[in-house]
Amino acid sequence: MTPTPALGALPRRHVLTVPTGPGAVRLARETAERALAAWGIGERHPAVGPALLIVSELVANSVRHAAEASPQTTVVYAASPDCLVLAVHDRHPHRPRLFGPDRPGPAGAGPGGLATVVELTHGLGGTAVVRGDADGGGKSIWITLPL
């Protein structure tokens, strides 16, 4: 699997901060589409469709579960010639466990958004990591996809 590169090592970067509420998912997805196109990663690239779904799902989770504790959600888009990195940050302190085909969830945990994110990510040979803020008051979910 591809390790998550240092953000500063990625030559293409864009950061979007949006209110954690209605419209956030649409804006995050549209921003991803524009950034990828500007970086020459066309809509026909096999990572683009999954990347857009991943961004949408992660931002939707922030809206659904973190809005009360986190009035803003930040999305980081970054790329190099060989990888795409997406990160979604909110200030809700809960750090979800990432479940997928190689890390099954607890009994009774049905397919959910994060399971889909992990499955898509791993299916493309990428990585998914949850990183807590240093103060414990928030977290980011980092996705790295090979290009």
Side-chain angles (χ1 to χ4, degrees):
M1 291 203 186
T2 306
T4 304
L7 192 56
L10 298 167
R12 300 178 204 124
R13 289 183 296 276
H14 184 78
V15 178
L16 171 71
T17 300
V18 295
T20 307
V25 174
R26 180 185 49 77
L27 185 55
R29 184 181 176 105
E30 289 173 355
T31 300
E33 290 171 335
R34 285 193 301 273
L36 294 172
W39 298 337
I41 305 168
E43 64 184 39
R44 292 183 186 253
H45 190 287
V48 170
L52 295 175
L53 181 57
I54 288 166
V55 164
S56 298
E57 191 59 49
L58 293 177
V59 174
N61 281 348
S62 287
V63 169
R64 194 175 302 120
H65 302 293
E68 191 171 309
S70 183
Q72 295 182 322
T73 296
T74 300
V75 184
V76 176
Y77 312 86
S80 70
D82 61 351
C83 77
L84 173 63
V85 175
L86 305 165
V88 175
H89 175 267
D90 63 52
R91 289 293 294 166
H92 193 287
H94 174 70
R95 289 197 280 179
R97 292 179 50 199
L98 300 179
F99 303 112
D102 60 340
R103 293 174 60 185
L114 285 179
T116 299
V117 165
V118 172
E119 186 173 339
L120 284 169
T121 300
H122 289 179
L124 291 169
T127 60
V129 178
V130 178
R131 294 187 179 139
D133 292 355
D135 67 0
K139 83 296 197 166
S140 298
I141 298 178
W142 288 83
I143 305 296
T144 303
L145 302 173
L147 290 175

